[in-house]
Amino acid sequence: MNAEALDEEARGILRMNDRGGYTVPTDGLYPYQWNWDSGFAAWGFAQFDLERAWKEVETLFSGQWPNGMVPHILFHKPDPGYFPGPDVWGATNGPVPSSGVSQPPVAATFVRAIWDKDRDAGQGRLQDLLPKMIDWHRWFMTWRQEAGMIFITHPWEAGRDNAPDWDAAMAAINPEGVGEYTRRDTSHVNPEMRPTKYDYDRYIWLVQQGRAKGWDEARMAPDRPFKVADPTMTFILLRANRDLLAMTEALGADTREIKGWIDTLEQGCAALWNEALGSYDSINLRTGTYSGCVTSASYLCWYAGVENDRMLARLRAETSNLRYPVPSTTPSHPEFNGKRYWRGPTWAILNTLIGMGLSEAGHPEAARLLRQTTQDLIAEHGFAEYFDPRDGTPAGGGTFTWTAAVWLAWASPSVGDL
Ligand code: GLC
């Protein structure tokens, strides 16, 4: 492996996908600013250009809604190559045309990492961002929280669009009247690697429902057609709150509210434990039923600061059965598909979050192994969007921002020991 050449290639991908203040996930397939992609991009930039790293997060928060929500997509400039665009979402609630749902809040965690590298010069920038991050987290606790679990109102909100977690909740939707539309994703990428028409009808139908209520949370809350408690969101917000707490303490501001959120979410994590499955799982809150899915999000417990021996044993088993773990859906699940997006492929960003958690929780060997297989995966198969966990076949979009970013910040040999 030529680590220096790969580092250079990764920096080149970030620069190439830079649209001036924000980074697109990849050219063509995703031509706008995506929320959690930007968090990773900022962390990647922080390895060689701190100014640009701060800017990425500041541009993301320039789209924050008055209610605190930070949208999952910001449509800074129109682009006909993507569907559904701003005209379909019809969300004019914020300062920038956007989608009407959010995405996993990784921003506070990466802002802390950037600030750690830039304590003096970055102090003022952190001071500006801190209240915005607190507002966003409060929005989650107010509008997306039940019994300490964070739920999603659209599969896109979890960032794991077609995960089998949502199958039962999606099956309960009758997308009647959704109308005709033309997808754009399948003209960029092989349709076998993308969600199906069945999924898309329901994705668009859900967007139409939100739009009809003006994306007003108070109007949507009493009757949500899709409401699934999600380990991605719950673990990631818990972790982000811990980072927010550390930054708030360092700036000498009041931490009581954030401490309360942490207690609440710790209880929610316990509720996501499905004893019969022996794993963290999602729950359809409309029916109270577990989804029965072991996914890569189930392993985010350590990242959230939550220890679990049984998940560790599971991870070992997954690692000995597959060349490139962690699969987005475990291969023993009947819906496993090694090529279709979140139904099987390995995503380097999830590996990174899981690996960070493992090292912080005192499992250095498991962390080292996961980092090694992720390093091999990218070195051998490139900076793809996702990969087949059995043989590493790259899938989805290429020259992908977040894959390049986590290479630079976590996977590359040049990062050194973690
Ligand atoms: C897909 C992914 C989502 C990501 C987006 C842009 O929708 O499922 O997690 O943020 O693409 O990369």
Side-chain angles (χ1 to χ4, degrees):
M1 171 189 326
N2 182 342
E4 267 174 37
L6 285 161
D7 289 357
E8 194 43 44
E9 194 181 337
R11 288 189 287 267
I13 290 172
L14 291 186
R15 289 197 197 97
M16 183 175 79
N17 291 338
D18 183 355
R19 295 291 176 273
Y22 70 96
T23 315
V24 297
T26 190
D27 191 43
L29 181 63
Y30 301 120
Y32 298 110
Q33 183 175 26
W34 262 259
N35 188 321
W36 70 328
D37 298 66
S38 256
F40 286 99
W43 193 35
F45 274 119
Q47 311 312 311
F48 63 101
D49 185 345
L50 281 166
E51 167 57 35
R52 184 61 189 77
W54 285 111
K55 185 74 194 148
E56 184 78 25
V57 188
E58 288 161 357
T59 308
L60 178 65
F61 279 87
S62 76
Q64 185 166 35
W65 286 15
N67 69 358
M69 200 264 269
V70 182
H72 104 287
I73 310 175
L74 295 178
F75 302 113
H76 293 291
K77 281 185 271 182
D79 191 311
Y82 180 81
F83 175 86
D87 49 326
V88 180
W89 284 93
T92 49
N93 314 46
V96 177
S98 71
S99 69
V101 298
S102 199
Q103 247 190 345
V106 292
T109 298
F110 294 132
V111 163
R112 186 180 178 192
I114 298 165
W115 176 60
D116 271 342
K117 284 178 172 285
D118 197 23
R119 287 263 171 154
D120 296 333
Q123 194 76 2
R125 301 183 97 155
L126 177 64
Q127 254 152 4
D128 280 351
L129 281 169
L130 195 72
K132 298 177 183 169
M133 295 190 286
I134 293 175
D135 282 354
W136 185 26
H137 289 200
R138 188 181 297 116
W139 174 87
F140 273 112
M141 298 305 292
T142 309
W143 296 112
R144 293 290 186 272
Q145 186 258 132
E146 192 167 295
M149 300 175 283
I150 302 296
F151 61 83
I152 57 166
T153 61
H154 191 296
W156 288 338
E157 208 158 35
R160 299 187 293 127
D161 308 12
N162 66 339
D165 299 72
W166 333 127
D167 285 2
M170 289 283 267
I173 291 174
N174 174 3
E176 217 179 282
V178 70
E180 295 291 315
Y181 57 89
T182 308
R183 286 172 66 172
R184 302 284 174 200
D185 56 320
T186 41
S187 58
H188 297 287
V189 167
N190 179 348
E192 283 174 13
M193 299 173 175
R194 297 287 306 175
T196 58
K197 169 156 171 58
Y198 170 96
D199 292 322
Y200 256 79
D201 280 353
R202 285 159 179 77
Y203 297 155
I204 302 306
W205 185 86
L206 282 169
V207 169
Q208 292 167 348
Q209 300 304 302
R211 181 185 183 146
K213 294 195 173 163
W215 299 107
D216 176 345
E217 296 296 342
R219 284 178 67 199
M220 294 186 284
D223 180 26
R224 299 200 183 269
F226 182 98
K227 188 176 179 186
V228 184
D230 168 36
T232 336
M233 282 291 192
T234 309
F235 286 139
I236 288 178
L237 184 63
L238 173 52
R239 165 56 184 265
N241 277 332
R242 297 192 199 280
D243 292 309
L244 200 59
L245 178 66
M247 292 184 281
T248 308
E249 258 164 10
L251 296 191
D254 191 347
T255 55
R256 275 171 301 180
E257 186 181 18
I258 303 173
K259 284 183 177 150
W261 295 341
I262 291 174
D263 289 345
T264 304
L265 293 172
E266 281 177 344
Q267 289 165 30
C269 291
L272 289 172
W273 178 258
N274 178 344
E275 180 60 30
L277 184 68
S279 176
Y280 290 106
D281 193 4
S282 44
I283 303 176
N284 181 355
L285 293 179
R286 283 182 63 95
T287 59
T289 331
Y290 282 110
S291 308
C293 296
V294 184
T295 70
S296 41
S298 308
Y299 297 101
L300 290 173
C301 48
W302 304 287
Y303 177 76
V306 175
E307 189 47 75
N308 191 294
D309 291 349
R310 287 172 70 188
M311 291 311 298
L312 199 59
R314 245 184 204 291
L315 185 63
R316 288 206 183 97
E318 210 85 291
T319 305
S320 52
N321 293 337
L322 288 165
R323 171 71 183 96
Y324 299 108
V326 178
S328 46
T329 298
T330 195
S332 60
H333 191 283
E335 285 298 320
F336 171 83
N337 178 332
K339 302 248 179 297
R340 208 184 277 279
Y341 221 32
W342 292 96
R343 295 175 94 81
T346 289
W347 294 68
I349 50 147
L350 259 294
N351 283 12
T352 303
L353 303 183
I354 297 166
M356 284 167 71
L358 286 168
S359 22
E360 291 161 359
H363 303 299
E365 190 45 32
R368 196 200 55 75
L369 203 62
L370 182 57
R371 183 178 175 219
Q372 186 63 56
T373 54
T374 311
Q375 193 177 92
D376 296 346
L377 179 63
I378 297 174
E380 291 158 18
H381 301 281
F383 294 95
E385 186 178 7
Y386 44 95
F387 307 84
D388 191 313
R390 296 161 298 190
D391 59 11
T393 305
T399 54
F400 224 83
T401 292
W402 62 15
T403 311
V406 299
W407 173 268
L408 290 170
W410 181 75
S412 166
S414 61
V415 176
D417 289 342
L418 298 169

